[in-house]
Amino acid sequence: MNLVDRFLHYVSFDTQSDELTHMTPSTPGQMIFAQELEKELKRIGMTEVSLDENGYLMASLPSNTSKNIPVIGFIAHLDTSPDLSGRHVTPRIIKNYNGCDIPLCPEEDIILRTEDFPEVKKYIGQDLIVTNGKTLLGADDKAGIAEIISAMEYLIQHPEIKHGKIRVAFTPDEEIGKGPHKFDVKKFGADWAYTLDGGEIGELEYENFNAAVAKILFKGRNVHPGYAKHKMINSLRIANQYAIMLPRWETPEHTEGYEGFYHLISCEGTVEQTTLTYIIRDHDRDRFERRKKEFEHLVRKINKEFPNCASLEIKDQYYNMREMVEPVMHIVDLASQAMKEVGIVPVVKPVRGGTDGAQLSFMGLPCPNIFAGGHNFHGRYEFVPIQSMEKAKDVIIQIAKLAAEK
């Protein structure tokens, strides 16, 4: 299969993750997909192919030179986001895109409008893979998987390109923040690695958010509303009071770049009991810690007015990988040079999110993030230019080549 064929085959697998199952992988589709990839890796000639009971698939491309070259890894994730269905994905290729709005599902008036997504116009004249408007596409991160495997196959077929040992890994449950939780860094055995999990062409990232999830439980007291005066305590109203005490401009829809935010992702409740779930994000560690302290402060404030009503649970999820990557910045420079040599202008910027590489970097495997080429991840308007995927494959090959030349 060529790169596009691979990708179109991969997105046919339903691999949505699910944080409620408390299993690894969290859904059976991920293991089915991993087993398919295991066969493919063996078929193209990869060695040391191993798939464990948790869905972590690893393989090696042996060195073809006697030089002492660091072992480099490339990593992508098997799962797709729980935010929208990844079942029965039926992608469509738009050849030589003309810059107009793209009807995805005309009968339901689902259209990728250039007014809403102006970035699509960057790809006039290129070939785009889009959804049918009813599911996500899965470029996050099946584009990354297809690029890595296609690059490995190319290197196997072109032994004149000298390279050191290369390790690849495909992990489950990245979308629910658990990708690295059972990743065996020692077994992987790379000196450093790159995740192929970024967005548009040129992205090169070694900074990401510090991240936490906060749950605030509000307990109320229900009484018949006709006789509720001075008796009822409505947890829904108290939860709403808490929510509006947070700065309204420090939310995802009002922030960019290095600006952090509070993001309300779930509200479930009745008069008796309500739970608000937030994610807390900031690139700066001190500001991140202050954001968590603000949640504690507001809970105390609520409890002063409504004694023992609110309780808070905060869990850190991951930290900014910059702390671990800066001491080995040559690995970022290597990726940047590889991009330039295949005709790409590197766009070095902070990730407004997280990758497996963030956690892996703190586990002893420095792991910057490289573009996979897609746009509008996690939704029906997701698309990926084929030419961007091809360039990502070229970058992987060039990294391997440059590492052998140093």
Side-chain angles (χ1 to χ4, degrees):
M1 291 187 290
N2 63 27
L3 174 59
V4 175
D5 291 337
R6 276 197 171 93
F7 177 70
L8 295 178
H9 177 53
Y10 295 168
V11 299
S12 69
F13 289 84
D14 181 7
T15 60
Q16 277 186 283
S17 46
D18 183 352
E19 64 181 347
L20 299 179
T21 67
H22 305 293
M23 298 187 299
T24 306
S26 63
T27 51
Q30 295 182 69
M31 183 61 84
I32 293 170
F33 183 37
Q35 290 167 343
E36 176 75 6
L37 294 176
E38 178 187 24
K39 295 174 186 175
E40 185 176 3
L41 290 169
K42 291 177 179 177
R43 188 166 59 245
I44 69 171
M46 297 291 281
T47 65
E48 299 179 309
V49 180
S50 66
L51 174 61
D52 69 18
E53 69 277 9
N54 296 308
Y56 290 80
L57 176 60
M58 297 183 182
S60 297
L61 179 61
S63 173
N64 64 359
T65 174
S66 59
K67 290 177 65 176
N68 185 20
I69 301 168
V71 178
I72 300 175
F74 295 97
I75 300 170
H77 62 88
L78 301 163
D79 63 319
T80 58
S81 171
D83 292 345
L84 188 67
S85 173
R87 190 177 185 187
H88 302 312
V89 174
T90 55
R92 177 164 57 101
I93 299 177
I94 298 175
K95 296 280 190 179
N96 192 24
Y97 171 59
N98 62 9
C100 297
D101 292 351
I102 302 173
L104 301 177
C105 181
E107 62 270 24
E108 297 182 22
D109 195 34
I110 299 173
I111 299 171
L112 198 164
R113 302 183 191 278
T114 58
E115 180 181 359
D116 298 325
F117 303 101
E119 66 275 11
V120 72
K121 287 194 171 185
K122 295 179 183 178
Y123 304 103
I124 292 174
Q126 296 191 29
D127 305 321
L128 309 183
I129 305 177
V130 301
T131 76
N132 67 354
K134 298 179 180 180
T135 70
L136 47 69
L137 178 60
D140 180 13
D141 191 22
K142 289 167 183 171
I145 296 174
E147 291 152 7
I148 291 170
I149 294 181
S150 295
M152 294 303 103
E153 184 176 47
Y154 186 90
L155 289 170
I156 290 169
Q157 294 174 348
H158 293 80
E160 72 276 9
I161 300 175
K162 300 304 177 184
H163 58 80
K165 182 177 182 179
I166 298 172
R167 290 284 277 164
V168 302
F170 305 121
T171 63
D173 296 330
E174 188 271 352
E175 296 292 0
I176 56 175
K178 297 180 179 179
H181 285 197
K182 296 183 180 181
F183 189 100
D184 190 333
V185 170
K186 184 177 180 180
K187 176 183 176 182
F188 191 56
D191 292 285
W192 71 83
Y194 303 94
T195 49
L196 269 288
D197 193 20
E200 68 178 299
I201 187 168
E203 284 187 358
L204 174 57
E205 301 152 329
Y206 66 94
E207 300 178 74
N208 60 276
F209 278 138
N210 296 289
V213 61
K215 291 189 176 183
I216 311 100
L217 175 65
F218 302 87
K219 291 187 176 181
R221 183 169 61 213
N222 200 3
V223 178
H224 188 290
Y227 307 93
K229 188 173 183 179
H230 302 313
K231 297 175 182 177
M232 177 184 287
I233 300 174
N234 190 332
S235 73
L236 286 162
R237 290 179 57 82
I238 299 171
N240 181 64
Q241 181 176 327
Y242 181 96
I244 63 176
M245 287 194 292
L246 287 165
R248 62 174 297 193
W249 303 115
E250 295 182 29
T251 57
E253 59 268 37
H254 294 112
T255 53
E256 61 184 354
Y258 283 95
E259 297 170 332
F261 57 72
Y262 307 99
H263 181 29
L264 177 61
I265 61 172
S266 174
C267 176
E268 300 177 1
T270 62
V271 172
E272 283 278 348
Q273 182 170 296
T274 300
T275 301
L276 299 183
T277 303
Y278 284 85
I279 58 173
I280 304 169
R281 300 290 189 262
D282 210 298
H283 287 95
D284 182 87
R285 186 65 175 267
D286 288 339
R287 288 198 302 266
F288 173 65
E289 296 299 333
R290 290 201 296 271
R291 288 185 183 280
K292 291 191 292 182
K293 292 292 184 184
E294 179 67 7
F295 270 67
E296 296 172 0
H297 166 70
L298 294 180
V299 165
R300 288 194 296 269
K301 193 170 182 179
I302 286 289
N303 281 332
K304 187 173 182 179
E305 183 174 355
F306 305 96
N308 302 315
C309 168
S311 59
L312 171 67
E313 177 187 0
I314 297 182
K315 291 183 179 179
D316 288 355
Q317 297 170 296
Y318 51 83
Y319 302 108
N320 191 341
M321 75 172 92
R322 177 174 181 168
E323 179 182 337
M324 308 307 294
V325 174
E326 277 191 328
V328 289
M329 275 297 289
H330 67 276
I331 70 177
V332 177
D333 297 336
L334 180 66
S336 178
Q337 182 183 350
M339 288 187 188
K340 292 174 183 176
E341 292 194 6
V342 300
I344 298 170
V345 177
V347 181
V348 180
K349 63 179 185 179
V351 184
R352 286 187 61 79
T355 68
D356 278 349
Q359 295 181 59
L360 291 171
S361 292
F362 282 88
M363 293 166 63
L365 181 66
C367 198
N369 191 40
I370 293 173
F371 72 93
H375 288 260
N376 305 334
F377 293 153
H378 298 192
R380 67 187 78 245
Y381 300 102
E382 185 181 4
F383 71 91
V384 60
I386 290 174
Q387 287 81 357
S388 295
M389 294 174 63
E390 291 171 341
K391 283 295 187 181
K393 183 191 81 171
D394 293 344
V395 169
I396 296 168
I397 295 166
Q398 195 66 18
I399 287 173
K401 183 180 177 182
L402 287 173
E405 293 174 352
K406 291 187 178 296

